[in-house]
Amino acid sequence: MATYKRLDVAFEAGEGAWLIDSRGERYLDALSGIAVCGLGHAHPGIAEVLARQARRLIHTSNLYRIPLQEQLAGRLAGISGMDRVFFCNSGAEANEAAIKICRKFARHKQVEEPVIIVMEGSFHGRTMATLSATGKPEVRAGFDPLLPGFRYMPYNDIPALEKLEDAGERVVAVMLEAVQGEGGVIVPDPGYLKALRDLCDRNGWLLVLDEVQTGMCRTGAWFAYQHEDILPDAVTVAKSLGNGLPIGACLAAGPAAEMLQPGSHGSTFGGNPLVSAAALAVIDILSGQGLAERAAASGRVMLESFRAQLADLDQVVEIRGKGLMIGIELSGDCGVLVERALERRLLINVTGGRVVRLLPPLIITEDELRHIIDTVCFLVKDFTG
Ligand SMILES: *Cc1c(COP(=O)(O)O)cnc(C)c1O
């Protein structure tokens, strides 16, 4: 169905940060399939693991033990500080699991008609529950009646949430992105997540972080909450967990990890041997190559370069980012830049109409980084000048 307005280009092969189209033209990928291919395209290590696993066993269902899934759960628990993992196949599904955890948590607390606080400008997925939780009206439009039980609050605004403390006996959880991605790369103030953690602790609310886009080293740490030295009650991942293989996960700690029991949730494909093998390989490569540190360093170079070259331009509102998640906000619609970049063989994204969004693979080299910076600076100067 016509769910996407696609660009007229088709890629047939990839190699690291590069994609090759059907005519043999090479494009530098500064989007990574929307923060999915953190290790780049056609990674030989991933390809090898997949081929080997496909010859052994692809799927058995969750009616039996899956040792690779158990190993992966252990690795994820180790890098996140969470206790238990539920496996599914996408970001929306990971968030569905988190929402179901919040609802069960409400039952345990005997809260009728519970409320989950979510944020304006957020994006949590396209299923009925996750679009109801999404704070972008255009995502919800036309799908009423929505799932009740979500209250939209301003992002990066602790005082606004403090006002709900007294009136908020029906509130059971706060769910948010650690950095808003689709919303335009909105980086909250330092200390925001820590303050939220305190607020949730004071009120007995669960803190649920959607790290579908920010997780797996994208922001320069395994998870963005680790920059603030806190632990959420639940965290969702997907996008880059399988470097392109469809896998999502909802990780949880403490009481939140005990809410889902046999019969209350499930997934036929979730965490099957093939995707688990891929995700294990992804984690091995990310840690073995120090890609979190590299993402942090590369991101700093990009931010500094863009600020040095673009910050003074009239139509540049703000340049922001965390690790290899970079946004350049312009004062007007700049969607045309996607096609202009494509003409120059560079893949970028514009979100919210006005924010140039860059999500290059974490394996990006210095030369490739320079190429992205030069091309984007040229395009923005040309557009605004
Ligand atoms: C992409 C995204 C989702 C949805 O993931 P899907 O795999 O497309 O369902 C949810 N939350 C955030 C923050 C995302 O960036």
Side-chain angles (χ1 to χ4, degrees):
M1 297 190 190
T3 50
Y4 285 88
K5 223 172 81 195
R6 298 174 195 275
L7 292 162
D8 189 21
V9 59
F11 301 111
E12 298 197 330
E15 191 185 345
W18 297 84
L19 282 168
I20 299 120
D21 76 6
S22 39
R23 294 168 309 163
E25 293 282 346
R26 292 168 66 83
Y27 299 73
L28 184 52
D29 186 0
L31 192 59
S32 314
I34 322 184
V36 168
C37 302
L39 304 180
H41 301 286
H43 191 287
I46 303 290
E48 183 53 41
V49 164
L50 278 175
R52 210 182 323 128
Q53 189 58 42
R55 281 193 294 266
R56 272 173 80 89
L57 189 63
I58 292 179
H59 178 86
T60 57
S61 92
N62 280 299
L63 300 177
Y64 312 102
R65 282 186 55 192
I66 303 174
L68 284 165
Q69 184 189 115
E70 292 171 16
Q71 266 183 51
L72 176 59
R75 290 299 302 276
L76 284 171
I79 59 175
S80 67
M82 298 290 103
D83 298 331
R84 289 180 180 275
V85 185
F86 170 77
F87 288 104
C88 51
N89 316 289
S90 67
E93 276 179 85
N95 288 331
E96 287 276 344
I99 292 164
K100 284 180 75 172
I101 286 172
C102 296
R103 289 282 180 94
K104 278 277 188 190
F105 181 73
R107 288 303 163 280
H108 280 257
K109 291 178 61 166
Q110 292 172 322
V111 175
E112 298 294 326
E113 298 186 41
V115 169
I116 301 171
I117 296 172
V118 292
M119 300 298 159
E120 291 164 6
S122 65
F123 181 79
H124 297 298
R126 300 285 190 168
T127 62
M128 280 310 303
T130 57
L131 77 81
S132 299
T134 288
K136 286 161 79 85
E138 64 272 28
V139 173
R140 305 192 300 260
F143 294 108
D144 307 85
L146 301 180
L147 192 74
F150 295 106
R151 175 154 181 182
Y152 315 109
M153 295 297 290
Y155 190 62
N156 195 24
D157 187 344
I158 293 291
L161 296 189
E162 283 172 345
K163 288 192 194 118
L164 297 180
E165 282 190 88
D166 301 328
E169 68 278 358
R170 283 168 56 209
V171 174
V172 290
V174 181
M175 175 168 160
L176 72 156
E177 293 155 275
V179 173
Q180 287 188 336
E182 303 306 301
V185 192
I186 313 290
V187 185
D189 297 334
Y192 176 61
L193 293 181
K194 211 173 176 61
L196 269 177
R197 178 71 275 180
D198 290 343
L199 183 80
C200 287
D201 286 343
R202 268 204 310 278
N203 293 281
W205 301 342
L206 297 179
L207 177 60
V208 178
L209 291 180
D210 176 348
E211 294 236 23
V212 167
Q213 190 160 149
T214 50
M216 307 309 289
C217 302
R218 172 62 52 191
T219 70
W222 282 111
F223 299 97
Y225 61 81
Q226 292 166 337
H227 295 296
E228 298 212 358
D229 225 6
I230 61 146
L231 284 180
D233 297 287
V235 54
T236 56
V237 284
K239 290 203 162 89
S240 61
L241 179 55
N243 208 56
L245 271 286
I247 177 170
C250 176
L251 292 56
E258 309 302 328
M259 292 299 133
L260 300 180
Q261 294 294 332
S264 56
H265 202 39
S267 167
T268 298
F269 290 137
N272 81 18
L274 187 72
V275 295
S276 294
L280 276 167
V282 167
I283 293 174
D284 281 344
I285 295 165
L286 287 172
S287 66
Q289 299 188 357
L291 289 179
E293 295 76 16
R294 192 154 143 193
S298 305
R300 270 195 298 275
V301 170
M302 284 190 114
L303 267 189
E304 281 164 17
S305 307
F306 286 136
R307 282 179 178 152
Q309 295 192 58
L310 302 176
D312 291 341
L313 299 181
D314 267 355
Q315 296 166 59
V316 173
V317 176
E318 194 180 28
I319 298 162
R320 54 193 179 238
K322 188 101 186 153
L324 279 177
M325 211 173 160
I326 306 277
I328 303 169
E329 181 175 348
L330 303 187
S331 53
D333 193 308
C334 62
V336 66
L337 286 178
V338 171
E339 276 162 55
R340 293 197 187 159
L342 190 71
E343 283 161 17
R344 298 188 166 263
R345 307 286 180 259
L346 177 70
L347 305 181
I348 64 166
N349 175 247
V350 168
T351 183
R354 297 191 295 133
V355 183
V356 176
R357 179 170 58 155
L358 303 173
L359 299 160
L362 313 182
I363 47 113
I364 197 97
T365 65
E366 254 176 73
D367 282 351
E368 290 161 348
L369 209 58
R370 196 39 62 196
H371 187 98
I372 296 173
I373 293 165
D374 291 347
T375 308
V376 170
C377 284
F378 169 82
L379 288 168
V380 171
K381 284 179 188 164
D382 181 62
F383 178 75
T384 58

